[in-house]
Amino acid sequence: LDYREFASVTLHDSFDAYMTTEPARVFAFTQHATTNYTDIAYERGDTLLFGRESDGLPDAVLESTAVTEKVRIPIADAGRSLNLANAAAIGIYEAWRQNGFGQ
């Protein structure tokens, strides 16, 4: 991982364990959502959740009342999906952009 020394990473045993940290808002990225990721006004402290490339986020997470909203990244009609790294980059950079790129 390039630039690992600049990242603050905390591992949690499960989604439920993470939720005990009481994040303010949680956005679950899924192809099954109707709200586009660009329709959200992101705030500092928001959590952006991304699932595995093979099957996305687990149903238990998507159905959790802790999820503020499910959002999607639109793709071309003929497209199948984005890989996880690209999807995370798209979502994270939009949230970062909306918040002044950390300034």
Side-chain angles (χ1 to χ4, degrees), residues 7 18 31 34 39 41-42 71 74 77 82 84 88-89:
Y18 173 68
Q31 65 180 347
T34 56
D39 294 337
Y42 297 100
V71 298
D77 290 338
L82 297 171
L84 178 57

Side-chain angles (χ1 to χ4, degrees), residues 5 7-8 18 25 27 40 45 47 51 55 64 67 79 89:
E5 66 273 16
S8 173
Y18 173 68
R25 302 187 318 164
F27 296 98
I40 302 298
T47 296
D55 54 3
S64 171
V67 171

Side-chain angles (χ1 to χ4, degrees), residues 44 96-97 99-103:
R44 287 182 177 272
W96 195 36
R97 181 195 68 80
N99 284 276
F101 295 108
Q103 299 173 3

Side-chain angles (χ1 to χ4, degrees), residues 40-78:
I40 302 298
Y42 297 100
E43 301 171 2
R44 287 182 177 272
D46 284 348
T47 296
L48 282 60
L49 294 177
F50 300 88
R52 298 186 316 197
E53 285 185 21
S54 58
D55 54 3
L57 289 164
D59 289 340
V61 171
L62 290 172
E63 295 165 8
S64 171
T65 58
V67 171
T68 305
E69 190 157 1
K70 295 178 242 184
V71 298
R72 68 186 300 271
I73 300 169
I75 60 172
D77 290 338

Side-chain angles (χ1 to χ4, degrees), residues 75-97:
I75 60 172
D77 290 338
R80 294 183 321 163
S81 65
L82 297 171
N83 71 32
L84 178 57
N86 288 333
I90 289 167
I92 291 166
Y93 267 78
E94 175 61 14
W96 195 36
R97 181 195 68 80

